[in-house]
Amino acid sequence: MALLQISEPGQSTAPHEHRLAVGIDLGTTNSLVAAVRSGVAVALPDARGEVILPSVVRYAGNAQPVVGQAAVAAAHEDPLNTVASVKRLMGRGVADVKRLGANLPYEFTATESQMPRIRTAAGDQSPVDVSAQILRVLAQRAEQTLGGELAGAVITVPAYFDDAQRQATKDAARVAGLKVLRLLNEPTAAAIAYGLDKQPEGVFAIYDLGGGTFDISILRLHRGVFEVMATAGDSALGGDDIDHVIAEWAMQAAGVTDDADHRLLRRLLRDARAVKETLTQADRAELCIERDDGSRWCDELTREDFHALTDPLIDKTLLPCRRALKDAGIRADDVQGVVLVGGSTRAPRVREKVAAFFGREPLGDIDPDQVVAIGAALQADILAGNKPDQELLLLDVIPLSLGIEVMGGLVEKIVERNATIPIAKAQEFTTFKDGQTAISIHVLQGERDLVTDCRSLARFELRGIPPMVAGAARIRVTFQVDADGLLSVSAREQSTGVESTIDVKPSYGLTDAEIERMLRDSMASAEDDMKSRALRELQVDADRSLEAVRAAVAADGESLLSNEERARIEHCLNELAAARDAIDTDTIKRAMAALEKATETFATRRMDASIRDALRGHRLEEFSE
């Protein structure tokens, strides 16, 4: 009998209504999606039971992009069409990409917006395009696992991501069709996952070394309030750099130049990563290079040599740690606990140096690959309204100062670094010339005093200022930073009320036209995505049928089937196994129907046999009493 939903007058929703929300860790090397299920936050697996999705996308002509492990497998054979570590390119301009290094195995093209695009067989792809593909796969995984449409997602970003990088992440989610409940700093997500909010009070350090970014955050927890005291880091430092120094060591030893074949360079990076992972357990690891001329070079890298290569990179992470402690006004021994986040913290050398710096062994109870997604899922569950009686107050900080250009090419800071967000701050300025009726507002982000040393975020104009003598006008410039760390700026002339406002979007971010185009492309491919999903679901059903029938034949085939019947079932099993890998759902359906028909009599006999076994030794009267 169906149950009616009862609610009090005036209630628009039932008190037990549960909205599906997820936390997504969009990582440089790997990405994950997690959700709260039965009160526990867990990472969600794919059809093969894997929770980690490699952040790799392969483009091949008109075919749908391949995301994850299958793309990784093809990376060394098709490097120009296989994009990895795209997080490093998010929110970057063409000049930024060039500074990241000349060894990136892609061909770049520039656009009017100055956002770099990667040339592939499926056309030029922006970093936002690539990230959207990863997010789309994670969202589909979540909806399939949870059995419904997502109400929204909390997506994590490095604490040291600037406004451009945060906006690019939000753009990628929008293209993927996801509603962003909040952008959450990764260190804060890790603290939530560890339940540090349940501590009465204390100071904790979150050391986050991922594939391509490093963050350190100092958090003070007091009476349920999360306050980020300071944050520092490097958005272009991570495990990928360790792979590169190993690869460079091998290239120098083997006499391979920087202009080597892209396939060789990608294979070398793959093998360098394998060596790094081996040396977390072993004392030495072998690395080989197949040169273009067919010759082969091999050598061993010992753990001591590995430390000599990588210690400078690990030491580089300790500089932001010192800066964060100084900004927070505390010493290392004031920190009560250190939380490790990111796959690169698995390296024993990293743990050793972090323990020595803070003077205590770091916490490592939760898988460092999953901890950020789990924390984001807990926050998503609250923001979706599933826990109205629970509030988690998160006081994050802005990683870099924000200001505007003033005369002389100088930067006047309006919002200082490590200011708690959300925040609104204003400052008054005036005109430089007599009769000036307009001013140009140039918004910048950074810690330096010169405009040329800071990142340009946006420009806009305030017009309609009444002509006055220089210095008479009072122009109030207000900066507002929301909980996601995204910025809007307004300028208002006080005497007339003339005002101009801009939601800051960096000049190398996506234009509205580009976002609309990608949304159209997304909608155009929606039917293909639905077909792909239906095929995968049917393949899973076919696997279940194959397994169940094979187990039944193995158990009862000898006693319940004739040779002819068994041969017919075996034939149908082989037909379904062959059809299972077909791309035609009708073929799979026909094969499943044929198997079902061939096993009908067998299923009936097994049921009768089970009933006879259950009745054996009993009298009929026992069941009628």
Side-chain angles (χ1 to χ4, degrees):
M1 178 183 295
L3 298 177
L4 291 174
Q5 175 178 298
I6 306 294
S7 61
E8 295 295 328
Q11 285 187 335
S12 59
T13 58
H16 60 271
E17 181 182 0
H18 185 85
R19 304 180 71 202
L20 300 180
V22 296
I24 293 178
D25 176 8
L26 183 61
T28 306
T29 307
N30 298 307
S31 296
L32 299 93
V33 59
V36 174
R37 308 184 74 182
S38 302
V40 179
V42 294
L44 302 179
D46 61 12
R48 298 186 304 275
E50 300 288 339
V51 297
I52 288 178
L53 176 74
S55 302
V56 183
V57 181
R58 185 192 183 199
Y59 294 89
N62 295 325
Q64 284 291 306
V66 177
V67 181
Q69 194 58 51
V72 173
H76 64 283
E77 294 297 334
D78 191 17
L80 295 180
N81 295 306
T82 307
V83 184
S85 299
V86 73
K87 186 173 179 176
R88 286 193 154 197
L89 306 179
M90 293 289 279
R92 302 284 188 177
V94 176
D96 297 317
V97 170
K98 290 179 179 177
R99 283 196 293 270
L100 286 175
N103 288 337
L104 291 172
Y106 314 119
E107 294 180 0
F108 290 97
T109 60
T111 62
E112 290 183 7
S113 66
Q114 294 304 304
M115 174 181 281
R117 289 185 177 274
I118 302 167
R119 182 172 291 133
T120 74
D124 294 346
Q125 308 294 329
S126 75
V128 170
D129 286 312
V130 180
S131 295
Q133 292 290 348
I134 298 168
L135 288 171
R136 192 174 288 120
V137 169
L138 291 172
Q140 290 171 352
R141 176 192 297 186
E143 289 181 345
Q144 185 170 356
T145 304
L146 300 175
E149 186 175 346
L150 296 181
V154 169
I155 301 177
T156 61
V157 292
Y160 224 57
F161 254 23
D162 61 24
D163 191 81
Q165 292 164 309
R166 291 168 188 268
Q167 185 62 62
T169 303
K170 211 162 188 178
D171 286 342
R174 180 179 169 189
V175 172
L178 276 170
K179 178 184 177 183
V180 178
L181 299 174
R182 182 170 179 182
L183 295 180
L184 183 64
N185 283 352
E186 291 167 3
T188 309
I192 295 171
Y194 267 94
L196 298 185
D197 53 306
K198 297 176 177 63
Q199 298 278 348
E201 61 182 64
V203 175
F204 291 83
I206 316 296
Y207 179 100
D208 183 356
L209 184 60
T213 58
F214 169 69
D215 288 314
I216 178 71
S217 291
I218 309 299
L219 278 65
R220 186 192 303 278
L221 312 175
H222 181 64
R223 296 181 181 178
V225 176
F226 263 56
E227 178 188 0
V228 181
M229 302 170 66
T231 186
D234 190 331
S235 60
L237 173 64
D240 285 356
D241 297 284
I242 295 176
D243 301 339
H244 277 282
V245 296
I246 296 173
E248 287 165 7
W249 164 80
M251 289 170 66
Q252 186 174 359
V256 177
T257 59
D258 290 346
D259 59 354
D261 181 74
H262 285 298
R263 292 180 179 84
L264 172 60
L265 294 176
R266 183 60 74 88
R267 282 198 304 270
L268 185 53
L269 284 174
R270 177 200 63 188
D271 296 342
R273 180 176 291 114
V275 165
K276 175 184 70 177
E277 293 169 355
T278 299
L279 288 172
T280 62
Q281 302 291 334
D283 292 329
R284 58 187 64 243
E286 187 179 54
L287 182 60
C288 295
I289 297 177
E290 298 284 349
R291 297 188 183 96
D292 291 338
D293 61 6
S295 62
R296 181 180 175 85
W297 171 91
C298 289
D299 200 354
E300 279 191 336
L301 183 65
T302 65
R303 181 173 286 188
E304 290 74 19
D305 291 336
F306 175 64
H307 289 169
L309 289 172
T310 59
D311 276 357
L313 291 173
I314 301 173
D315 291 340
K316 195 175 176 182
T317 69
L318 301 180
L319 295 175
C321 292
R322 292 189 182 93
R323 187 166 68 248
L325 290 172
K326 183 179 178 181
D327 289 344
I330 62 173
R331 300 179 310 228
D333 54 10
D334 293 324
V335 175
Q336 291 180 237
V338 182
V339 174
L340 294 183
V341 184
S344 297
T345 62
R346 295 181 186 277
R349 190 64 164 179
V350 172
R351 292 172 177 261
E352 178 184 324
K353 283 186 169 284
V354 171
F357 180 85
F358 286 100
R360 64 182 64 249
E361 285 298 319
L363 303 173
D365 302 337
I366 304 178
D367 186 332
D369 283 320
Q370 298 184 24
V371 62
V372 168
I374 287 172
L378 292 168
Q379 177 70 357
D381 199 46
I382 294 172
L383 293 178
N386 294 326
K387 294 185 178 179
D389 57 337
Q390 181 176 344
E391 280 192 34
L392 186 60
L393 182 56
L394 302 175
L395 300 179
D396 258 330
V397 295
I398 190 164
L400 297 169
S401 299
L402 295 162
I404 65 170
E405 180 179 356
V406 295
M407 292 301 299
L410 297 174
V411 179
E412 180 68 22
K413 295 183 177 68
I414 295 179
V415 179
E416 294 285 346
R417 174 169 64 97
N418 285 327
T420 300
I421 58 174
I423 189 174
K425 290 196 72 174
Q427 194 166 324
E428 285 195 357
F429 298 87
T430 190
T431 51
F432 176 70
K433 293 181 179 179
D434 291 340
Q436 188 173 340
T437 60
I439 62 168
S440 175
I441 309 290
H442 183 194
V443 183
L444 299 126
Q445 187 167 30
E447 302 310 312
R448 306 287 293 276
D449 291 326
L450 295 180
V451 169
T452 52
D453 294 325
C454 292
R455 180 181 291 275
S456 173
L457 294 182
R459 296 175 185 268
F460 69 105
E461 290 186 344
L462 175 65
R463 296 186 173 276
I465 302 172
M468 304 181 194
V469 296
R474 292 187 302 117
I475 299 158
R476 188 175 183 83
V477 177
T478 302
F479 277 45
Q480 289 185 304
V481 184
D482 65 16
D484 294 328
L486 300 178
L487 171 68
S488 62
V489 181
S490 64
R492 178 186 177 90
E493 202 288 309
Q494 298 292 75
S495 64
T496 62
V498 174
E499 187 171 9
S500 181
T501 302
I502 185 172
D503 290 324
V504 174
K505 209 165 196 183
S507 57
Y508 40 80
L510 285 178
T511 65
D512 288 339
E514 287 176 311
I515 290 178
E516 287 177 13
R517 176 189 60 76
M518 284 190 284
L519 286 172
R520 285 198 301 271
D521 291 345
S522 174
M523 288 185 283
S525 62
E527 185 176 349
D528 291 336
D529 293 341
M530 289 175 61
K531 289 179 179 178
S532 297
R533 179 169 175 171
L535 173 61
R536 182 59 191 138
E537 288 174 346
L538 200 57
Q539 287 174 327
V540 171
D541 289 342
D543 289 339
R544 288 173 180 163
S545 296
L546 287 169
E547 184 178 349
V549 174
R550 283 169 178 160
V553 170
D556 299 317
E558 290 291 337
S559 58
L560 298 180
L561 290 172
S562 66
N563 290 337
E564 182 181 349
E565 289 172 330
R566 185 163 184 166
R568 186 163 59 252
I569 291 175
E570 290 289 350
H571 172 75
C572 289
L573 283 170
N574 292 334
E575 289 290 315
L576 179 55
R580 179 239 177 269
D581 294 324
I583 59 172
D584 180 13
T585 56
D586 290 339
T587 302
I588 300 176
K589 288 178 181 177
R590 284 195 297 270
M592 288 181 68
L595 179 62
E596 184 178 354
K597 185 174 181 180
T599 57
E600 280 178 348
T601 303
F602 180 40
T604 302
R605 291 173 187 166
R606 293 193 79 215
M607 184 177 294
D608 291 343
S610 297
I611 294 173
R612 283 196 300 272
D613 289 342
L615 293 176
R616 188 173 291 119
H618 296 277
R619 291 179 295 107
L620 186 61
E621 290 79 8
E622 295 179 42
F623 298 94
S624 60
E625 290 177 355

